[in-house]
Amino acid sequence: MTETTTDVGSGVHLRYETPHIAVLTLDSEPANTFSWESRRSFMRALDILDADENVRCLVITGEGRAFTAGAQLREDQFMSDEQLTDYLAEFSRVLNGVQHFRAPVIAAINGATVGGGLEFALCADIRIASTDAFFVAAGVNVGLIVSFWRLPRVIGLGPAKEILLTGARYTAEQALNWGLVTEVHEPADLMPAALAKAHRIATRAPLSVEVTKEAVTKAFEMDFGEGQALQTRRFLEMFRTEDHQEALSAFFEKRDGNYQRR
């Protein structure tokens, strides 16, 4: 398939790698930060993709040497408390939009991932990195606080405290050792690896994939009994779908499934 692109506004590029795989590239100065305009563009792109049930996996990456440095500090320096509260609420919409996006999200982390950019990366379901990538929880470096909720849930309390309290720069290999990312690739191999993983996800039964993502996201906020009840309910729902029967046929016939989302 020939790649297609969709105009969503400045600071973000949306292209369709296949009918089932979309790629969002962050591209705004400096360091792919989220300005007011790029936040609107990003949310517009998510709305388009969420409404398109053909899309089964989303890959997010950055242009140039940065993945993203999060919010633009120069924008928030001159805001009133009320304006800053609104600003943070808008950025939270971006973060929550990624975390709760209908389909799985892969972050192909190509470079600097700093401050709010680290928080943004934590919202993805799967994170893989280039050897050029590095990670900084910059809150303490600028007298602020960020990432204290999501980071310990991803890598555990001990490593999270080191990253959060030092504000130091950590390499992709260190991130791999802590489980912040699951793979590290040479720069030229990053997007092919991300797209290969996206293809694997996109060829699974989409209803099952989406329900699994939703359940895993909720699991950390549930006790054991709630988790068991959710698993039983969702398992029975998936068992009754036509896609389940198609997945079984595809498995035994050693082919990709032809799923209808029903």
Side-chain angles (χ1 to χ4, degrees):
M1 173 190 171
T2 302
E3 292 181 5
T4 59
T5 60
T6 299
D7 182 16
V8 294
S10 66
V12 179
H13 305 304
L14 166 59
R15 81 171 194 269
Y16 294 85
E17 186 73 19
T18 75
H20 298 313
I21 300 171
V23 178
L24 282 178
T25 303
L26 308 177
D27 184 13
S28 60
E29 293 295 337
N32 299 331
T33 49
F34 282 97
S35 64
W36 285 104
E37 180 57 35
S38 62
R39 285 199 302 279
R40 286 193 290 268
S41 299
F42 188 83
M43 292 307 298
R44 191 176 300 119
L46 284 188
D47 287 342
I48 291 169
L49 295 171
D50 191 57
D52 184 356
E53 291 188 340
N54 281 319
V55 174
R56 300 180 184 176
C57 192
L58 170 61
V59 178
I60 301 177
T61 193
E63 184 67 30
R65 300 176 63 183
F67 179 62
T68 174
Q72 285 192 5
L73 291 178
R74 286 187 176 85
E75 274 191 351
D76 63 29
Q77 278 184 306
F78 306 104
M79 294 181 187
S80 66
D81 285 355
E82 183 178 0
Q83 290 172 320
L84 188 56
T85 298
D86 290 342
Y87 181 94
L88 292 173
E90 283 294 309
F91 190 53
S92 291
R93 284 186 64 235
V94 170
L95 299 175
N96 293 333
V98 173
Q99 182 166 331
H100 300 294
F101 185 68
R102 170 182 53 78
V105 177
I106 299 172
I109 301 171
N110 56 297
T113 306
V114 178
L118 174 59
E119 185 80 354
F120 179 83
L122 290 168
C123 295
D125 300 295
I126 298 170
R127 288 165 296 279
I128 66 175
S130 158
T131 52
D132 288 344
F134 63 88
F135 303 83
V136 181
V140 296
N141 296 340
V142 292
L144 295 173
I145 179 172
V146 70
S147 300
F148 72 90
W149 192 86
R150 286 186 172 96
L151 187 60
R153 283 167 167 76
V154 172
I155 66 173
L157 189 58
K161 281 187 175 182
E162 175 171 335
I163 293 173
L164 292 168
L165 296 176
T166 64
R169 172 171 166 163
Y170 294 92
T171 67
E173 286 296 334
Q174 288 169 307
L176 179 64
N177 290 337
W178 279 325
L180 178 55
V181 300
T182 55
E183 296 176 9
V184 175
H185 297 275
E186 292 299 320
D189 298 329
L190 178 65
M191 281 305 294
L195 293 173
K197 199 175 296 293
H199 176 76
R200 169 74 187 188
I201 291 170
T203 53
R204 305 306 98 184
L207 289 177
S208 174
V209 168
E210 291 170 18
V211 166
T212 298
K213 168 177 172 164
E214 179 189 20
V216 170
T217 302
K218 290 179 176 178
F220 277 91
E221 310 310 318
M222 292 180 169
D223 62 29
F224 180 75
E226 291 171 329
Q228 288 291 290
L230 178 62
Q231 178 165 295
T232 298
R233 184 171 72 254
R234 289 304 206 178
F235 182 93
L236 290 174
E237 289 174 6
M238 294 300 100
F239 186 80
R240 298 187 186 105
T241 62
E242 293 178 21
D243 280 0
H244 166 57
Q245 297 302 320
E246 170 62 11
L248 287 178
S249 297
F251 177 79
F252 289 118
E253 295 168 15
K254 295 180 171 50
R255 60 173 174 81
D256 288 343
N258 180 22
Y259 300 112
Q260 305 300 317
R261 297 184 61 88
R262 59 176 184 256

